[in-house]
Amino acid sequence: MFVVLLGTASSVHARNDSVSSARTVMDAFMTTFNARDEAAWADTLLFPHVRFASGGVVVHETREAFLQGMDFDEFARANNWDHSRWDSIEVIQADSEKVHFKVTFTRFNPAGEAYVTYDSLYILQKIDGRWGIRARSSFAP
């Protein structure tokens, strides 16, 4: 005999609220990224912020340090990038203070053509009542 415990109604409700709040941050992340609004984009993150990509790990200790290293115009030029889109966002794990999302996103060039798709893992946390992206692990460079 197998027993499956699904949790109480209040724990399920708390998880659903967490996922909904975290998903709102994910949508804001993509919207502000596409708008090339560096300050608003940084507001979707928590610091220190960690990114695993291109065989390395980058830790942005502060919002200010993150903003100093971000240049959307250079990113767009170097990648022939115009905008990106979430293709899928799937909850892997969630509780009242942390959500792990498995995501796939596509980048588009200025002609509106999709030119690359990547898988990633985004970890969001709720700190002092605010949800934000703590870490990203991406197969994107």
Side-chain angles (χ1 to χ4, degrees):
M1 177 197 311
F2 293 97
V3 176
V4 177
L5 298 176
L6 299 175
T8 65
S10 63
S11 68
V12 170
H13 180 71
R15 180 187 182 278
N16 290 343
D17 285 350
S18 296
V19 169
S20 177
S21 296
R23 176 57 197 254
T24 297
V25 172
M26 293 293 286
D27 291 339
F29 174 92
M30 188 61 76
T31 298
T32 57
F33 185 68
N34 287 331
R36 302 180 190 196
D37 185 337
E38 295 163 356
W41 194 48
D43 289 343
T44 67
L45 308 177
L46 294 175
F47 297 94
H49 180 76
V50 181
R51 183 166 185 254
F52 301 89
S54 303
V57 178
V58 176
V59 178
H60 301 280
E61 291 293 335
T62 65
R63 182 179 188 278
E64 293 74 26
F66 176 80
L67 288 170
Q68 287 176 352
M70 188 60 218
D71 182 343
F72 274 117
D73 292 334
E74 175 57 25
F75 176 83
R77 187 198 60 72
N79 292 284
N80 194 33
W81 173 83
D82 178 72
H83 68 281
S84 297
R85 165 190 83 206
W86 295 127
D87 297 318
S88 65
I89 301 178
E90 176 185 345
V91 177
I92 302 299
Q93 297 168 316
D95 69 12
S96 62
E97 296 181 0
K98 188 166 43 169
V99 177
H100 297 174
F101 287 116
K102 174 185 168 191
V103 305
T104 302
F105 66 90
T106 297
R107 291 183 179 163
F108 294 82
N109 65 24
E113 301 163 331
Y115 66 90
V116 69
T117 298
Y118 294 110
D119 294 320
S120 297
L121 175 68
Y122 281 54
I123 300 171
L124 285 80
Q125 284 184 296
K126 183 179 181 182
I127 303 294
D128 297 327
R130 175 184 169 267
W131 282 93
I133 300 167
R134 174 66 75 189
R136 299 175 284 153
S137 176
S138 179
F139 291 98

